[in-house]
Amino acid sequence: MNTAEKYDVLVLGAGTAGKLMAWTMAKEGRRTVVVERKYIGGSCPNVACLPSKNVIHSAKVASLVWRHREFGIETGPISIDMAVISLSVPRSGQRK
């Protein structure tokens, strides 16, 4: 038989603000529950900020590679495979 559980605080969303609110309320001794539809941690570490940072880092590396002669390095043709870059970004719930 199911019994209803009682909470002092219901936090909707486990993004930055939701996590902070839940941690703060629980630390103050309030019985707290968090409801998250999709991304624990919000969209930033899952699909927004971190994937963007990965692409930016890859662009910086590509820039250095294209400037290889400035560093006394000789190499062959250079190309960028965006499919590989996008695959290197861990998705929610996955680890590299």
Side-chain angles (χ1 to χ4, degrees):
M1 176 182 271
N2 292 339
T3 58
E5 293 192 39
K6 295 186 179 188
Y7 295 92
D8 300 316
V9 179
L10 167 65
V11 178
L12 299 177
T16 303
K19 286 190 309 184
L20 178 62
M21 177 64 72
W23 290 334
T24 301
M25 295 294 102
K27 193 173 182 180
E28 290 179 0
R30 295 186 178 140
R31 190 163 155 84
T32 305
V33 64
V34 177
V35 176
E36 173 56 55
R37 177 179 48 166
K38 192 167 186 178
Y39 296 119
I40 300 297
S43 63
C44 188
N46 292 288
V47 295
C49 307
L50 294 181
S52 298
K53 288 177 183 171
N54 188 63
V55 172
I56 291 167
H57 177 72
S58 295
K60 289 178 182 178
V61 171
S63 174
L64 288 172
V65 171
W66 276 323
R67 295 172 42 212
H68 63 278
R69 288 192 180 100
E70 292 178 36
F71 303 103
I73 299 170
E74 291 300 323
T75 186
I78 299 166
S79 66
I80 297 172
D81 187 342
M82 289 304 292
V84 172
I85 291 171
S86 67
L87 287 175
S88 69
V89 178
R91 299 292 179 228
S92 177
Q94 296 178 346
R95 292 189 177 257
K96 271 183 86 173

